[in-house]
């Protein structure tokens, strides 16, 4: 059985992996030892601040993971999501996916401040975001991995890219897969990275239509367990309560594990974008079942896919800059 699973995963990777259009010269520019001489304690500093933030508020781990994801899917992993509006820059924080939901900015600024004291003008905000996402995963019980480093920070933001490129909870399966493929990611990456929803919360407004009017017929989503749906309706009414928070994984909401996939098999995925991994595509459904059965395979692929996502169109060499503060460009 295990050999078949491994064969299936390898087959899926080979057949469904699109050609990557990324400027992804990782071998030349990004490598884990990038700061070994210029800022040898960088990883310890990031880990320390993230650990303190997550201990204070466990939800912060998911928030930092999400910041990295929402950064990479816009203009690549360049910390554009961290910029405030100023001058000609319109902040990505104002976009539909980020407004009233993206958070953790103050944690990144705290990390940056601590690093600047030890290694001024050396470590990018983009690398800080990438390391914080890894540390958030590990601190909640998930896998670890070596993070390739050497990214630089963008000189601008793209609110249109944020609105259009980030997968939305109510997108169709094909739309979500296409958004992944445009970033050089494939269907295996999609299913594995969706597993980050094993931690964190979602707002009522992100899944309300599943409870009341999924297909325009005034009925709830038939792929959602009806007892679970009834429970959700008690705090997510037809109108109002938009910002009410619900855990994405009701079994182990602050532990990084494969219960997310087990919930999908029980028709208890919170978001439509979660449940369609099981209901709309045979390859993704088989991967959901595999990860539900094998936590080790999920962890292994999640780590691989996170490195791959973190390598989307990085700014390297002389492109971009090393920001002194993550929320504003240097000049």
């Amino acid at each position: 059985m295990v050999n078949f699973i491994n064969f299936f995963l390898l087959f899926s990777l080979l057949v469904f992996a699109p050609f990557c259009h990324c400027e992804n010269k990782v071998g030349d520019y990004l490598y884990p030892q990038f700061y070994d001489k210029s800022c040898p304690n960088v990883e310890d500093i990031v880990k320390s601040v993230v650990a303190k933030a997550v201990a204070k508020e466990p939800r912060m781990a998911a928030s930092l993971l999400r910041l990295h994801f929402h950064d990479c899917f816009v203009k690549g992993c360049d910390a554009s999501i961290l910029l405030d509006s100023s001058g000609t820059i319109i902040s990505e924080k104002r976009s539909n996916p980020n407004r009233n939901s993206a958070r953790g900015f103050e944690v990144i600024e705290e990390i940056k401040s601590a690093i600047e004291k030890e290694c001024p003008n050396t470590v990018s905000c983009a690398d800080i975001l990438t390391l914080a996402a890894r540390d958030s995963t590990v601190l909640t019980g998930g896998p670890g991995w070596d993070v390739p480093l050497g990214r630089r920070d963008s000189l601008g933001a793209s609110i249109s890219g944020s609105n259009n490129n980030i997968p939305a909870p109510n997108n169709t399966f094909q739309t979500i897969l296409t958004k992944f493929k445009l970033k050089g990611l494939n269907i295996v990456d999609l299913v594995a990275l969706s597993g980050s929803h094993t931690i964190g919360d979602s707002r009522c407004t992100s899944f309300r239509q599943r409870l009341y009017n999924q297909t325009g017929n005034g009925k709830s989503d038939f792929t959602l367990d009806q007892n679970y749906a009834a429970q959700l309706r008690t705090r997510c009414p037809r109108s109002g309560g938009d910002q009410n928070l619900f855990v994405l994984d009701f079994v182990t909401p602050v532990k990084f594990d494969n219960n997310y996939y087990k919930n999908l098999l029980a028709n208890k995925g919170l978001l439509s974008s979660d449940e369609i991994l099981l209901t709309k595509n045979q390859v993704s459904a088989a991967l959901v079942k595999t990860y539900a059965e094998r936590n080790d395979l999920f962890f292994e692929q999640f780590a691989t896919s996170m490195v791959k996502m973190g390598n989307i169109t990085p700014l390297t060499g002389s492109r971009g800059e090393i920001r002194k503060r993550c929320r504003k460009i240097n000049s």
Side-chain angles (χ1 to χ4, degrees), residues 21 66 82 93 99 182 243 296 326:
H21 302 293
R66 187 169 183 261
L82 303 178
K93 298 174 185 178
R99 191 173 59 247
L182 288 172
Q243 305 303 317
D296 59 327
C326 291

Side-chain angles (χ1 to χ4, degrees), residues 18-65:
F19 292 105
C20 180
H21 302 293
C22 310
E23 298 167 27
N24 201 352
K25 302 171 184 176
V26 178
D28 294 335
Y29 298 116
L30 301 186
Y31 50 96
Q33 301 81 19
F34 189 85
Y35 297 112
D36 277 7
K37 292 182 179 178
S38 60
C39 194
N41 295 324
V42 60
E43 295 203 32
D44 290 336
I45 295 171
V46 174
K47 189 179 302 179
S48 173
V49 177
V50 172
K52 184 178 70 172
V54 172
K56 181 179 178 182
E57 183 192 13
R59 180 189 173 203
M60 187 54 68
S63 298
L64 293 172
L65 248 179

